[in-house]
Amino acid sequence: MKSLYGKFLLYTAGIMVFSGLTAFLAVNTYYHRNLKDSNDDKNMNIVRQLANYIEETTPEELDLYLKTQASAGYKLLLVSDDLEGRRYGQSFRLDNLKEKDVKSVLNGGDYHGMKNFPTETFVTGFFSDETANTVGVPFTYRGKEYALFLRPDIKLLFTEVHYLLGGMVIVMAIASLLAMLIVAKRLIHPITQLTLATKKVGKEEFSGILPIHQQDEIGQLAESFQKMTKRLKENDLIRKKFISDVSHDFQSPLLNIKGYAGLLMDETLPNEERAGYAKVIQAETDRLSSLTKQLLLLTSLDQMMSPLKPVTYDVSEQLRDTVRKYRWLLEEKQISLSMEIEDSELTGDPAFLEKVWENLLSNALKYTPDYGTIEVSLVSTEHSVTVQIGDSGIGIAEENLAHIFNRFYREDDSRTIAAEGTGLGLSIVQQVTELHNGTITVTSEKGKGTVFIVTLPKL
Ligand code: ADP
């Protein structure tokens, strides 16, 4: 059975058959253990009363008397001492009373056929319409010995109530089976929808919302599935965009290198021009190299849950060292730098945090024209360290501020000003800051300058 629906039906039918059989077995056992004896006693009392009445009152017509009694719901068998039998009421289905049993009653004994009715047969003796399944007593009528055997006439005993009850059980069984079919179909429907949706996602089709709105476990499963699909869809889009951005960013320097290498092959080229082209090739290979380095860094940040190896170290010294590294560039562009760095320690990954300061400082330098200013400060409080890097550079347009942390995003102005950018620096800065449970904010005004503020908890 492959489908859940089929299994559900099979189990329901199985449970019904099993419970029916168990109930039948239990009722049978109860009958054989308790009911058989009491049934025998009850009927023995009745047949005894009949016999006593006959002996005490000697009715005029024995036949008429027994006929009247039989019509009250009994089957009677009267056997005279010459073994002549007469029946009253409906005839028995089977005439199997043994002669020795008849004789023993005629000789004064009682016959307990109901109590001793064989138990091996599974059919309950209660319904066996046989002369062996009776109770019998002797009596004397007008000087002659008789044996009187009796059993209740089941057909007469079955009243309308019994039929009603029987009908009720059958209707209940059919109704519950039908209800089960409908309930099973309703229960399994959302699972079928979920299965179809999973197959679609397997084929990278993320569209379509599951129309499942229920509060139970299946509803929760559908909701989680929905959320998962949304994430997968987003990731898929990011992945595709990332690949196209990377290819594009690799493509343009490669084309430049190819073009200038072609030009260099011209042997008549003056030395000055040759040197110029070689410089361009060198700049483009530098760009490709920094692009691959940054991509590797981003991938390592993406892949691991926490790639950080935190230690407690002197962050103020690290910031001062980073500024020192850029001294020659500052001098070259005649940019004045002011530094207010408080001494402070921090728990974090020094290698990754160094990338944060490097990226922010190199951006400030890149996007600040000659003779501009850069301010670097570090403020330390009990729980956090705040590093602020501000410049008097080209600034960022307000509408672009929301995008600058996106991978490969570069403002058009910056493309013309600084060709060596990759658009990956700030997304690395943001990711590293977040991995340290810190925050990064930016304020900027076009043409006036930009301030980045990084706040990191000390832990
Ligand atoms: P890039 O390699 O282009 O500098 P980043 O991710 O570091 O890439 O920065 C993304 C963009 O944000 C830059 O291209 C630039 O447009 C803008 N930007 C970043 N820092 C500054 C700054 N200090 N002044 C002006 N614009 C900046």
Side-chain angles (χ1 to χ4, degrees):
M1 195 61 62
K2 266 188 183 168
S3 76
L4 203 57
Y5 186 63
K7 272 187 193 160
F8 203 86
L9 288 189
L10 198 73
Y11 287 145
T12 312
I15 288 168
M16 283 178 109
V17 170
F18 174 74
S19 51
L21 278 176
T22 315
F24 184 66
L25 251 167
V27 168
N28 252 283
T29 314
Y30 179 70
Y31 168 76
H32 285 305
R33 289 258 168 96
N34 307 60
L35 228 54
K36 229 169 141 181
D37 285 0
S38 74
N39 197 32
D40 188 284
D41 283 352
K42 206 169 68 186
N43 286 295
M44 188 51 99
N45 267 340
I46 297 166
V47 78
R48 232 175 235 140
Q49 275 178 27
L50 294 185
N52 285 346
Y53 183 83
I54 295 169
E55 283 188 338
E56 278 162 22
T57 59
T58 323
E60 272 297 301
E61 287 192 53
L62 184 60
D63 264 356
L64 186 67
Y65 172 70
L66 290 176
K67 224 185 239 172
T68 322
Q69 294 306 318
S71 62
Y74 297 103
K75 290 183 174 187
L76 296 171
L77 169 66
L78 181 72
V79 186
S80 58
D81 54 2
D82 52 4
L83 295 181
E84 192 80 17
R86 301 198 61 174
R87 285 159 183 80
Y88 302 92
Q90 293 292 313
S91 59
F92 289 89
R93 187 178 61 80
L94 199 66
D95 234 336
N96 56 352
L97 189 59
K98 289 187 182 111
E99 199 178 304
K100 74 169 176 46
D101 291 329
V102 179
K103 278 184 179 158
S104 119
V105 177
L106 283 171
N107 288 334
D110 285 346
Y111 175 67
H112 290 279
M114 285 186 172
K115 192 192 278 182
N116 302 325
F117 197 71
T119 53
E120 323 74 80
T121 48
F122 201 58
V123 183
T124 68
F126 194 77
F127 298 100
S128 286
D129 186 16
E130 307 166 18
T131 46
N133 189 19
T134 56
V135 286
V137 287
F139 70 88
T140 319
Y141 179 74
R142 291 189 177 149
K144 251 180 113 177
E145 295 300 325
Y146 287 95
L148 180 63
F149 299 88
L150 167 145
R151 66 167 276 106
D153 187 342
I154 298 294
K155 264 192 200 150
L156 277 178
L157 288 180
F158 259 111
T159 60
E160 285 77 359
V161 176
H162 291 106
Y163 285 117
L164 268 179
L165 283 175
M168 212 168 87
V169 170
I170 293 170
V171 172
M172 262 168 67
I174 294 172
S176 50
L177 199 71
L178 284 176
M180 272 297 184
L181 294 182
I182 297 165
V183 169
K185 190 122 209 143
R186 283 202 59 178
L187 272 179
I188 285 154
H189 183 62
I191 300 180
T192 321
Q193 284 178 309
L194 261 171
T195 317
L196 282 177
T198 349
K199 279 186 188 155
K200 269 186 166 182
V201 171
K203 285 189 234 154
E204 298 204 3
E205 282 176 39
F206 301 109
S207 57
I209 297 167
L210 271 177
I212 300 173
H213 307 287
Q214 45 195 72
Q215 303 289 314
D216 56 12
E217 287 80 356
I218 293 177
Q220 287 165 15
L221 179 66
E223 203 185 309
S224 311
F225 180 80
Q226 209 83 280
K227 279 186 192 156
M228 188 189 81
T229 316
K230 208 174 144 213
R231 282 292 302 268
L232 283 175
K233 189 178 175 181
E234 283 166 6
N235 283 346
D236 190 54
L237 284 177
I238 291 172
R239 184 174 57 92
K240 283 178 181 152
K241 187 173 180 308
F242 186 73
I243 292 172
S244 96
D245 287 343
V246 170
S247 331
H248 178 263
D249 270 65
F250 270 88
Q251 200 58 28
S252 50
L254 282 175
L255 279 177
N256 277 346
I257 293 171
K258 195 180 166 202
Y260 284 105
L263 289 175
L264 277 178
M265 285 206 264
D266 180 0
E267 282 171 11
T268 60
L269 210 66
N271 268 351
E272 233 171 72
E273 259 181 71
R274 190 183 291 269
Y277 296 161
K279 247 188 184 167
V280 177
I281 291 177
Q282 199 176 30
E284 291 295 43
T285 38
D286 282 351
R287 195 169 128 76
L288 279 177
S289 156
S290 82
L291 193 66
T292 27
K293 273 187 207 150
Q294 280 178 316
L295 276 174
L296 279 174
L297 190 67
L298 268 177
T299 326
S300 78
L301 285 172
D302 281 347
Q303 271 175 356
M304 290 169 268
M305 285 300 283
S306 179
L308 304 181
K309 294 189 186 81
V311 288
T312 304
Y313 73 103
D314 190 341
V315 63
S316 36
E317 202 44 48
Q318 183 185 43
L319 191 58
R320 284 189 202 107
D321 280 348
T322 316
V323 175
R324 249 174 250 137
K325 273 198 251 170
Y326 289 93
R327 182 125 288 168
W328 64 272
L329 242 178
L330 286 163
E331 280 168 13
E332 198 180 272
K333 288 181 89 175
Q334 306 260 7
I335 290 173
S336 74
L337 177 108
S338 72
M339 251 201 310
E340 263 180 66
I341 297 177
E342 291 177 10
D343 286 338
S344 175
E345 290 211 321
L346 178 78
T347 305
D349 190 316
F352 281 106
L353 283 173
E354 192 182 356
K355 294 275 172 266
V356 173
W357 320 135
E358 271 178 12
N359 273 301
L360 291 177
L361 260 170
S362 67
N363 276 353
L365 269 161
K366 242 191 295 184
Y367 302 115
T368 302
D370 293 358
Y371 309 108
T373 54
I374 292 179
E375 287 163 16
V376 179
S377 74
L378 184 151
V379 177
S380 168
T381 65
E382 195 186 340
H383 299 295
S384 66
V385 165
T386 303
V387 174
Q388 186 166 320
I389 297 175
D391 62 57
S392 63
I394 58 167
I396 306 160
E398 207 184 328
E399 65 272 18
N400 295 335
L401 276 177
H403 309 294
I404 57 168
F405 295 104
N406 294 349
R407 289 178 188 184
F408 295 108
Y409 179 80
R410 304 194 70 201
E411 255 199 325
D412 289 340
D413 289 358
S414 31
R415 286 178 200 274
T416 44
I417 289 172
E420 76 268 28
T422 59
L424 290 174
L426 283 182
S427 79
I428 292 173
V429 169
Q430 189 187 42
Q431 213 158 335
V432 173
T433 311
E434 281 171 3
L435 279 171
H436 282 85
N437 298 316
T439 53
I440 178 162
T441 55
V442 55
T443 46
S444 185
E445 206 178 318
K446 197 79 199 156
K448 291 247 168 97
T450 309
V451 181
F452 283 95
I453 302 173
V454 177
T455 306
L456 299 167
K458 278 186 171 170
L459 297 174

